[in-house]
Amino acid sequence: MKYSRTEEQSCKQVFRVELDGHEWSHAREWATRGVAEQAHLPGFRKGKVPPQVLEGKFGKQIEEEALEHAIGHAARTVLEETKLEPVVNPSVSNVQRSEQGMVFLLTIELAPQIVLGSYTGLSFVRETVEIRPEDIDAVVESLRRRYATYAAAERPARWGDLAVIDYEGTVDGQPFEGGSVKDVVVFIGSGEAMRDLEQALVGRSAGDAFLMDLEYPKDHANAAVAGKTAKLAVSLKEVKVGKPPDLGEDFARTVGGFASMEVLRAEIRSKLAAEKEHEIRERLKATVVDRLLRFAPAQVAPSLVEEETRMMAVRGAEQLARGGVQRLDQLRTNPDGFKNMFKPAAIRAVREAFVLEAIARKEAIEVSDEELDREIRKGDREGEITDATVATLKRDGRWDRLRARLRQDRTLDFVIGAANVTERAICL
């Protein structure tokens, strides 16, 4: 066997591998023996089928297994002799077969060489949030609107009312998907519907019908109307006015089983603080990563980027589906275009992972099976994560991915803990 390096980058190396006729014949003989040992043909004992019969019956299988054996043996030889450590299984391309042997390209993707500079004693500004009484008041008022009782209004619609409408929409005189709806509830002033539609309802009474132009933004989720002006024929069927409940113990019990308004407000404060603390923590982590990425090369293993891009796209599609977007053409894109939207973030994530892995190795930061098990089960009050669940995670590879993620989180915590962090108060 002969091989030569045809391409060398920081993240991958490509080799041209040649096997002569003798080596290929040896691979064919190996594959033929394997098939013969398993072959069952009428009139022949197991393992005693003549080679010419095997070729006639199992020629394609023998060829495929010979190729797999020859390429696998050659790839292992290249890795052993070059001492290269791939981050994913090497890939094979441009396979050419002839009577003289075979030639193929072997691509080996590598971890980048991370040269760490100083990552302790860095200086960062961390925000802290002051939860003001008016912030809590805003949440309480939102809860009051949610639990309001609504009755028909004997007057024109105002801001804060509910309107029940039908409408038929056209663009350039043609109906469009999603343009015909019945009994839609519009909370005027909530921002859930388009502002122009909400504005058009104010001052109108139940039974009114009217025409209006509605200009859709260019980034609207419905590609049929994005950036276009639709004509809507609107029928206002009902106007309802809400009566928010009075504040007191009954309200506190209704919205969450709280004993008093004081307890409810304390719970709201706690949740607001936790939400903002999480947002602040994530922003700080992103800032820290920005500083650490200077240790990472721009190029990283393409296969890792591709896999990270794919996983991000899957999660993105799931999130869109939960928001009601079921088809990508509603976003004026296709599967490849949608996936490529995540590629810059995927490159960043892979570069980040390599830097944090280098720091974790240097600082001996590890995550044991017991620690990972506790982390996975944390907050599982319903007992949904069982030993069988953990076994499945280990079998399909997610266990190791979760371990790597937790190790990265702990490494970031280490860097932040070793930094000079100045706090700056902001209002919610």
Side-chain angles (χ1 to χ4, degrees), residues 2-225:
K2 296 188 298 184
Y3 62 88
S4 58
R5 187 180 285 106
T6 63
E7 182 181 345
E8 184 172 7
Q9 299 179 18
S10 60
C11 59
K12 73 175 182 179
Q13 295 189 23
V14 181
F15 295 86
R16 185 177 187 274
V17 183
E18 300 179 49
L19 276 67
D20 60 26
H22 174 75
E23 290 167 320
W24 173 247
S25 296
H26 177 76
R28 287 278 307 188
E29 291 170 3
W30 178 91
T32 302
R33 285 196 302 271
V35 171
E37 291 172 0
Q38 301 298 323
H40 294 276
L41 291 177
F44 299 98
R45 287 182 296 164
K46 187 176 180 180
K48 299 298 182 180
V49 182
Q52 64 272 24
V53 177
L54 286 171
E55 281 289 345
K57 188 71 175 176
F58 301 106
K60 183 177 180 181
Q61 180 181 346
I62 291 172
E63 180 80 6
E64 290 174 350
E65 293 190 10
L67 279 170
E68 183 177 348
H69 176 72
I71 290 172
H73 177 74
R76 287 190 295 273
T77 301
V78 173
L79 289 175
E80 289 171 3
E81 294 184 359
T82 59
K83 309 298 183 186
L84 295 176
E85 297 183 3
V87 292
V88 294
N89 289 332
S91 61
V92 174
S93 61
N94 293 21
V95 178
Q96 300 175 35
R97 271 279 300 111
S98 69
E99 293 182 359
Q100 287 72 42
M102 66 180 296
V103 178
F104 63 90
L105 295 181
L106 181 70
T107 300
I108 302 172
E109 297 184 53
L110 308 167
Q113 296 297 316
I114 303 294
V115 180
L116 293 172
S118 177
Y119 53 83
T120 59
L122 303 176
S123 296
F124 300 101
V125 175
R126 182 186 187 280
E127 300 168 341
T128 60
V129 174
E130 176 188 351
I131 308 297
R132 302 166 301 178
E134 51 265 41
D135 300 324
I136 301 173
D137 291 342
V139 177
V140 171
E141 285 305 306
S142 176
L143 289 171
R144 288 186 74 209
R145 288 195 299 270
R146 185 185 309 172
Y147 285 89
T149 56
Y150 287 86
E154 300 299 328
R155 56 166 176 74
R158 300 173 183 170
W159 293 105
D161 289 346
L162 288 184
V164 181
I165 67 171
D166 296 343
Y167 67 78
E168 296 279 345
T170 60
V171 172
D172 298 328
Q174 299 297 319
F176 59 89
E177 184 179 358
S180 177
V181 294
K182 301 287 185 183
D183 297 323
V184 174
V185 177
V186 178
F187 182 9
I188 303 175
S190 68
E192 295 173 1
M194 293 181 65
R195 183 74 174 184
D196 287 349
L197 176 58
E198 292 182 351
Q199 180 68 62
L201 293 170
V202 174
R204 300 184 186 275
S205 302
D208 286 353
F210 59 95
L211 296 173
M212 66 172 294
D213 290 339
L214 188 61
E215 185 176 344
Y216 285 85
K218 293 181 179 180
D219 59 352
H220 195 271
N222 188 344
V225 294

Side-chain angles (χ1 to χ4, degrees), residues 122-374:
L122 303 176
S123 296
F124 300 101
V125 175
R126 182 186 187 280
E127 300 168 341
T128 60
V129 174
E130 176 188 351
I131 308 297
R132 302 166 301 178
E134 51 265 41
D135 300 324
I136 301 173
D137 291 342
V139 177
V140 171
E141 285 305 306
S142 176
L143 289 171
R144 288 186 74 209
R145 288 195 299 270
R146 185 185 309 172
Y147 285 89
T149 56
Y150 287 86
E154 300 299 328
R155 56 166 176 74
R158 300 173 183 170
W159 293 105
D161 289 346
L162 288 184
V164 181
I165 67 171
D166 296 343
Y167 67 78
E168 296 279 345
T170 60
V171 172
D172 298 328
Q174 299 297 319
F176 59 89
E177 184 179 358
S180 177
V181 294
K182 301 287 185 183
D183 297 323
V184 174
V185 177
V186 178
F187 182 9
I188 303 175
S190 68
E192 295 173 1
M194 293 181 65
R195 183 74 174 184
D196 287 349
L197 176 58
E198 292 182 351
Q199 180 68 62
L201 293 170
V202 174
R204 300 184 186 275
S205 302
D208 286 353
F210 59 95
L211 296 173
M212 66 172 294
D213 290 339
L214 188 61
E215 185 176 344
Y216 285 85
K218 293 181 179 180
D219 59 352
H220 195 271
N222 188 344
V225 294
K228 299 179 180 178
T229 298
K231 289 189 176 297
L232 298 188
V234 184
S235 296
L236 177 53
K237 301 172 74 173
E238 293 182 83
V239 175
K240 295 184 177 183
V241 61
K243 181 182 179 182
D246 295 331
L247 297 179
E249 290 184 0
D250 289 343
F251 176 73
R253 281 194 294 268
T254 299
V255 301
F258 299 102
S260 65
M261 285 299 300
E262 288 73 20
V263 176
L264 170 60
R265 291 178 67 88
E267 178 66 15
I268 292 172
R269 173 184 287 277
S270 176
K271 286 188 175 180
L272 286 176
E275 290 171 1
K276 291 304 171 184
E277 177 63 29
H278 176 74
E279 292 175 10
I280 289 169
R281 181 73 174 174
E282 291 304 306
R283 284 199 293 271
L284 178 59
K285 284 185 175 181
T287 302
V288 173
V289 169
D290 285 341
R291 296 280 291 275
L292 296 179
L293 284 178
R294 70 185 189 273
F295 303 136
Q299 291 185 329
V300 286
S303 292
L304 295 181
V305 172
E306 176 66 20
E307 177 62 13
E308 185 67 25
T309 303
R310 186 191 66 79
M311 291 193 295
M312 285 184 171
V314 168
R315 292 194 292 269
E318 291 172 348
Q319 185 175 359
L320 286 174
R322 289 192 294 270
V325 179
Q326 301 295 331
R327 300 196 323 274
L328 292 180
D329 58 9
Q330 292 177 262
L331 302 177
R332 294 181 293 170
T333 187
N334 55 38
D336 286 340
F338 181 72
K339 188 178 75 170
N340 286 336
M341 292 166 54
F342 296 91
K343 191 167 184 178
I347 293 173
R348 175 186 169 91
V350 174
R351 295 176 69 223
E352 173 188 344
F354 278 122
V355 173
L356 293 177
E357 171 66 20
I359 296 174
R361 284 198 305 269
K362 187 171 181 179
E363 300 295 337
I365 298 171
E366 298 291 347
V367 176
S368 68
D369 280 352
E370 293 76 14
E371 291 171 316
L372 182 55
D373 190 277
R374 285 197 299 271

